[in-house]
Structures are given as C-alpha cells and as structure tokens.
Amino acid sequence: MKKIIALFISATTLFLCACTGQTENPVETTQSTAPESTVKYETDWRTAPLPAKFPAPPEKMYDFYFSKGSAGEKSGSYRADWLRLYFICPENEFFLFAGKIEESGFKGGFRKFEDTTEYYPAGYYGHWQDGEHLIRINKAEALDNGDLKIVLDIVECSNNFPEALTQFFPKFEGITKSTGKYCGHDETNQSETTEFNGTFESPYWHWDFVGDDCFAGVEETEVNAYVDKLGRAGFVGPFAYSKADGCDILSVDLTKNVNGTKYGVFILYNQTLKTLDILYTNNSDNYLDTEE
C-alpha cells in the first residue's frame, strides 16, 4: 500500500506543478473590484448563472467577479460547460460557506491541510457534486490580512469515464471533472506518451483519476459496490483502513491476470472528504509493494 500512496503522491504533485488551475479561456467576464481605500461587501452573485440551490455568498465577500466557458476537447480540460467564481472573504466565513454547500444538497467535503506529510499537499481542498453540477476549489490563496482569495469552479456533470478502459475494467459511475490522465510506458517503464490516440499501443500504461481529477461526492456504499463489481469481473486483492493527513482512508489493491497481462485497479477512498482516487494499469507488478 505504501508504494501505491507514493505513486498517487507523485501523480498529484505532477498535476499541481503542471496544471495549477484550468486553461479554459473565459468567453464572458463580469467584474466588480472594491477600491483599495474601502471594502464594498457583496451580498449576492448578481448575474452569475449558478445552480438554483447554490448557497448565498459568504459573509463579507468582496472583489467578486465571474467568467464562464464551454467544454474543452482535451483530457485534463473540463468536458462540459463551466463557470468560475472569483472572490475574497475572511477565512472563517469560507469555512461556513463550505458547510452551506453541503447543507444545500451537494455531496463532498472541504478541508484545510497544514503541515501535511502523508498524501495531501498543504492548502485548501474541496469537491462537491449533486449529480447535475460539480463544484471544486480551483485555487485558494491566504492574503496578508487573513482573508482568502478564492477561485471556485462549477461544472456541469457529464459522463467522463473513458470508453476505452471498459474493455479491461468495469466502469465506475462517478462524477469527475475530466477523463483522467493517461500515460504510456516502454518496456523499461519510462514515460513515453501522455496522448491517448484511441488504442493502447504502449507496452505498459496507466490511467489515473488522482488529485483534482478524483471522483467527487462518493459515498462508501458506492465504493463497496464498485469493489464487488470488480470482484465479479475477476479482480482480487486486499483492502485496508488507515489515516492520511487527518483523513480516514480506505485503500484497495485489486489485480487480475489475463494471459500474462497483469491488470490492476488501485483505489484510495477518502471517507472524510468523500473523494475517490483510482489508478488503472496493465502492469500491476510495477505498483505493488515488494515488502511486507
């Protein structure tokens, strides 16, 4: 399990370094910035096209504006229309606002990670979904005055599980912002390509939904049902409960040998935040622990 966690950490770090925020170009922007000498608090989202049950703004919100755009074409971009909210508010008010998102019927969770050492990078992390819209913290920056500068993304839910993977693995019926990340390897397991052209041409490969590409708002019953589904498809392996950076974690390592090809499904479920990280591969030996 330690090797799997290390792999997920590596994938998450690469994501954060290469893809901080999203690359969509906004097609419409509305902005209201308070003068430096005064702070003008805003009490509504004005004309932002939000879900009907989206909660009111956090108290003492200012410098609010929004942008929106259409679905992207490449893996890693949003696969559906999206809305981005930019605003500043006191940190404690954002904590309360995150709670109101869940009270409004969105499943998920939020946490501020500090001095993390096991899995999550330090910072503000939150994902929610209600089957129609996915909400995620794109960016959160602490200002000198103690307030938070927030970028919050709202994306229409869509079917993002890659069809190509279903020839090897049962589909997980979850909500994620993209189609995940593919990486093909050569015989020496060096990274060869991150572009998927429709066929698995590389000798070895993995396809992961990790970090900000995780499945959001997942209940443990859904994870258990998926593990059962994988079991019926011939995947077997251990599971374990543990802690990581203060969160309750369920990890499951499942493998299946088909004519010498060792397929693997490696799962990390955060029970606290209701997020599910999954890695799929055709070379499970490369990701399993070699020691007890």
Side-chain angles (χ1 to χ4, degrees), residues 11-20 22 136 177 181 212-213:
T12 304
T13 301
L14 288 174
F15 173 81
L16 291 172
C17 291
C19 303
T20 301
Q22 288 292 315
R136 59 176 288 265
K177 76 176 184 66
K181 289 182 171 58
D212 280 342
D213 287 320

Side-chain angles (χ1 to χ4, degrees), residues 35-47:
E36 293 184 6
S37 58
T38 62
V39 175
K40 179 182 178 181
Y41 298 128
E42 302 201 46
T43 58
D44 61 61
W45 300 110
R46 290 185 277 110
T47 59

Side-chain angles (χ1 to χ4, degrees), residues 53 97-111 125-131 133-137 175 214-220 222 247 269-276:
K53 62 183 180 182
F97 175 73
K100 290 177 181 177
I101 291 177
E102 295 171 41
E103 292 172 4
S104 297
F106 291 89
K107 295 190 299 181
F110 163 75
R111 177 159 291 200
Y125 192 77
H127 296 77
W128 303 267
Q129 59 87 12
D130 67 347
H133 293 89
L134 169 68
I135 304 169
R136 59 176 288 265
I137 298 173
I175 302 300
C214 69
F215 292 94
V218 180
E219 300 290 353
E220 187 167 356
E222 297 175 89
C247 295
Y269 175 60
N270 188 317
Q271 298 169 293
T272 307
L273 296 177
K274 299 184 184 296
T275 57
L276 179 64

Side-chain angles (χ1 to χ4, degrees), residues 182 184-185 192-193 195-205:
Y182 165 82
H185 309 267
E192 190 175 66
T193 179
E195 294 293 328
F196 183 70
N197 62 7
T199 59
F200 292 90
E201 296 178 348
S202 297
Y204 301 124
W205 48 264

